[in-house]
Amino acid sequence: MSVPILEVVDLHAAYGRIEVLRGVDLRVPKGAVMALLGPNGAGKSTLVKVISGQKGATSGDIHLGGVHVQDTSPEELARLGLCTIPEGRSVFPNLSVEENLTLMSYAGVATEAVLDTAYSYFPRLHQRRHQLAGTMSGGEQQMLAMSRALASDPALLLLDELSMGLAPLIVDELYDTVAQIAESGVSILCIEQFARTALRVSDYAAVMTGGRIVATGEPAEVMDTMSDVILGGAA
Ligand code: ATP
């Protein structure tokens, strides 16, 4: 079996004295799309924060492509191929679409390559390249956030609630692009409340409740056994 792109072992994390991650075990195979599902408050966003180096763990291990990355800075994680799109996106609202994208060239990526990638995945961004990012729709902002992430040529993309605040049709469109991105060889872990949409493009699903992974497997299998938990909040 090849080395997984992400392996999390017995991970614990807390806010003050309240333990939120209570022994998380998770394995994302290289090249796979995995949906991480679960109700509000399960600890999904906290897990993303710990994996992406924004929050420390109390104990446990994280390996990225076989490299032990516990307590590694976000910059070093980016160098190792991890890219996170946090909940609520992360565009610069007072800069144009094109300025948001060309900022990536300061991170050492050629401007032309950044723009080509963004506009090939999202032609709509080309039409709106001079528009201020903050005046675009939520879906368009998410396209921009995804384009900026892709510019860093990630090995593993962490998507936290891609669908937040968006209409179902836009969410579907974004997940079609997630599938295309995966086809290009990027591994993806997507945290999502809109389970059905995420599962449509996923190879595997994991379900988290109460700070632990309580089920993993193929989407249909997980949906069969865990539908109460998965669909408890949203369809
Ligand atoms: P949601 O889908 O609602 O975002 P989630 O599964 O992502 O839920 P988390 O956001 O990780 O869950 O939250 C897990 C628990 O940790 C919740 O009980 C939440 O109230 C608590 N929590 C999250 N962030 C903080 C914080 N900064 N300080 C204290 N408690 C927090």
Side-chain angles (χ1 to χ4, degrees):
M1 203 188 224
S2 73
V3 175
I5 188 70
L6 177 71
E7 188 164 35
V8 175
V9 181
D10 197 19
L11 192 69
H12 291 252
Y15 294 105
R17 275 181 297 175
I18 299 175
E19 189 172 50
V20 173
L21 300 185
R22 301 193 294 148
V24 174
D25 292 304
L26 185 68
R27 195 182 160 94
V28 181
K30 222 170 241 176
V33 180
M34 181 178 272
L36 177 60
L37 312 169
N40 284 323
K44 306 180 298 294
S45 293
T46 303
L47 178 61
V48 169
K49 285 182 187 138
V50 176
I51 294 171
S52 59
Q54 300 162 60
K55 175 171 174 55
T58 342
S59 62
D61 288 301
I62 305 172
H63 289 88
L64 185 66
V67 178
H68 190 247
V69 292
Q70 189 75 349
D71 300 322
T72 302
S73 68
E75 294 72 26
E76 178 63 8
L77 287 168
R79 210 187 54 73
L80 290 169
L82 179 73
C83 185
T84 307
I85 304 185
E87 213 173 16
R89 297 137 217 156
S90 53
V91 301
F92 295 100
N94 297 320
L95 297 182
S96 71
V97 167
E98 198 136 300
E99 285 165 341
N100 264 277
L101 292 169
T102 52
L103 269 185
M104 291 305 291
S105 59
Y106 292 103
V109 190
T111 307
E112 212 161 296
V114 173
L115 296 179
D116 280 355
T117 307
Y119 298 152
S120 65
Y121 277 113
F122 301 109
R124 203 183 310 179
L125 291 182
H126 184 254
Q127 290 161 20
R128 298 186 173 262
R129 62 192 180 280
H130 301 305
Q131 188 170 333
L132 291 184
T135 65
M136 295 203 302
S137 72
E140 290 161 352
Q141 289 189 31
Q142 193 58 280
M143 290 174 194
L144 183 53
M146 286 168 77
S147 297
R148 295 189 66 226
L150 288 173
S152 66
D153 194 19
L156 174 65
L157 198 53
L158 283 185
L159 299 172
D160 194 359
E161 297 277 357
L162 195 67
S163 66
M164 184 176 274
L166 302 179
L169 266 180
I170 306 289
V171 175
D172 259 349
E173 201 182 308
L174 289 172
Y175 271 100
D176 286 343
T177 309
V178 168
Q180 283 174 32
I181 294 168
E183 273 168 28
S184 77
V186 180
S187 310
I188 299 175
L189 178 63
C190 47
I191 281 73
E192 191 49 83
Q193 298 232 4
F194 278 85
R196 287 190 204 282
T197 315
L199 290 178
R200 178 171 64 76
V201 305
S202 298
D203 303 301
Y204 303 98
V207 181
M208 191 171 192
T209 60
R212 288 196 187 91
I213 302 293
V214 293
T216 45
E218 295 191 1
E221 182 191 339
V222 170
M223 196 66 171
D224 265 0
T225 53
M226 300 296 295
S227 60
D228 284 2
V229 176
I230 296 173
L231 301 178

